[in-house]
Amino acid sequence: METKTAKLLDGKALAEKIQLKLKERITELQPQLGRPPGLAVLMVGDNPASAAYVRNKERACAKVGIASFGKHFPTETTQGELEDVIAALNQDPQVDGILVQLPLPQHLDSVSLLNQIDPDKDADGLHPVNLGRLVRQEAGLRSCTPAGVMRLLAEYKIPLQGKQAVVVGRSILVGKPMALMLLEANATVTIAHSRSHDLKSITQNADILIAAVGIPGLITAEMVKPGAVVVDVGMNRIADPSGKSRLVGDVDGESTAGVAEFLTPVPGGVGPMTVAMLLQNTFASYLRRLGIANAEL
């Protein structure tokens, strides 16, 4: 008998499609508007993972025609110096999006810095004003990772209305905004987390299961309802016995693939979509600031 295996939700292919459309629209609009969209990514210190993420974002900007105003600061940079940089970028007419690459060195207050960003230039969608707009279902810049998940589900025409959705994880980066976006799409949403009792009994009810906790292989096949859609937001770097490191998700993809109907791969699922949504947020901010209505890409 043929073994059933889940269909993959290919975030990499969709991200490329979005980037291609962005490139076309920027090429078309730039001559009329006199400048490209601009994104400033601020990085402090020399965290190698952060440096790789920033390079990835800058390459993606170059690919679609967004100008990068990247700034890299030494570890000892003070809170005041960064606040001055953000204040200047808020006023800079060339800059449409501002992003502070996390984590920051311990002496810096990341929440306070994120709150200094003009909400209309908040490319990461994490400012309290933008989170408030999401709660109220008002237009605003949306948190990139959950927005990327929603775009991926829409691309594969996965119905959400009336479905049981379970989000495992409650971070302000993913879990909370993810739950709000699913609610906005008329799903019935449960949020589970590290203190939830009997996680398996919660996840087994999910038509849509989103794992975003940062624990490698937490979700196993027996925790998944047959035919469910499983979205793995986890990005965990683990070393194998030979010392080589690889990326794994929060879902045990191998066993789960035999139960779920749809599954996101790691890497190549949610990660590329996060970057695509960052570019889309920057472009949306560019259009809004120039008084042009935004169209869904």
Side-chain angles (χ1 to χ4, degrees), residues 2 17 40 69 75 78 92 116 233 256 270 296:
E2 197 184 329
K17 178 176 155 182
F69 296 89
T75 305
T78 66
D92 188 336
Q116 306 279 328
V233 181
T256 307
V270 176
E296 180 67 28

Side-chain angles (χ1 to χ4, degrees), residues 205-269:
N205 287 321
D207 302 308
I208 318 281
L209 177 58
I210 317 263
V213 273
I215 301 173
L218 174 72
I219 305 295
T220 53
E222 65 273 10
M223 298 169 77
V224 175
K225 178 180 178 178
V229 176
V230 180
V231 177
D232 191 350
V233 181
M235 293 277 275
N236 311 293
R237 195 166 282 285
I238 61 166
D240 61 23
S242 67
K244 270 181 144 174
S245 76
R246 60 191 176 97
L247 272 181
V248 298
D250 291 351
V251 175
D252 176 8
E254 213 168 304
S255 69
T256 307
V259 185
E261 186 181 351
F262 287 98
L263 182 64
T264 56
V266 176

Side-chain angles (χ1 to χ4, degrees), residues 9-10 14 17-18 149-158 297:
L9 298 173
D10 190 341
L14 177 55
K17 178 176 155 182
I18 290 168
V149 171
M150 295 301 285
R151 183 70 178 77
L152 194 52
L153 294 173
E155 180 71 8
Y156 284 85
K157 297 184 170 54
I158 290 164
L297 291 166

Side-chain angles (χ1 to χ4, degrees), residues 19 22 37-43 49-71 97-103 114 123-126 144-145 173 235 270-280 282:
Q19 288 181 13
L22 271 173
L39 175 65
V41 179
L42 310 185
M43 181 180 153
S50 291
Y53 288 137
V54 169
R55 275 196 307 274
N56 189 13
K57 286 165 185 170
E58 287 174 347
R59 272 201 299 268
C61 281
K63 196 170 159 186
V64 301
I66 291 175
S68 277
F69 296 89
K71 294 176 187 285
I98 303 167
L99 180 152
V100 176
Q101 183 65 45
L102 302 175
L114 292 172
D124 244 348
L126 296 177
C144 296
T145 300
L173 273 170
M235 293 277 275
V270 176
M273 290 304 300
T274 299
V275 177
M277 293 299 106
L278 171 68
L279 302 179
Q280 188 166 309
T282 304

